[in-house]
Amino acid sequence: MIEEAIGADNKTRIIHLKTMHLGPEELLVAAKVTIAHSASGREIAEQIDAAEQPIREAVPNARVIYLEPDIFRADRTSAASESTGA
């Protein structure tokens, strides 16, 4: 549900996603997400805010959300998958 919520805007793509239960009713969501190469600081902040809202709607116990903007690079993603065994 988190992956679908992040990608719902068709502009944001997950590079890397981790979740952790902080308690029985509290979930931490941390993800690296794509941004446009030419995005301004304001546009990045707006995109992050826009990506958080559908997560909160889809998974109400996702109370702590950290989204890190990054630029997708296929070579880095495959190396990260190999090192984590994903």
Side-chain angles (χ1 to χ4, degrees):
M1 289 190 300
I2 294 169
E3 290 175 347
E4 289 175 9
I6 290 174
D9 64 2
N10 292 321
K11 294 189 293 183
T12 308
R13 177 176 172 181
I14 297 171
I15 297 170
H16 185 74
L17 172 69
K18 291 280 189 186
T19 60
M20 180 172 49
H21 284 275
L22 301 175
E25 298 295 323
E26 188 173 22
L27 182 69
L28 175 133
V29 176
K32 276 188 171 241
V33 296
T34 58
I35 58 161
H37 289 80
S38 60
S40 70
R42 176 181 287 279
E43 291 167 331
I44 293 168
E46 289 172 353
Q47 185 176 346
I48 295 294
D49 289 345
E52 286 178 358
Q53 188 58 38
I55 295 170
R56 293 184 195 287
E57 291 171 4
V59 185
N61 66 342
R63 298 208 178 105
V64 181
I65 301 173
Y66 297 114
L67 299 180
E68 177 184 350
D70 204 345
I71 297 170
F72 178 77
R73 295 179 189 95
D75 60 327
R76 280 190 0 197
T77 303
S78 61
S81 296
E82 290 172 11
S83 69
T84 61

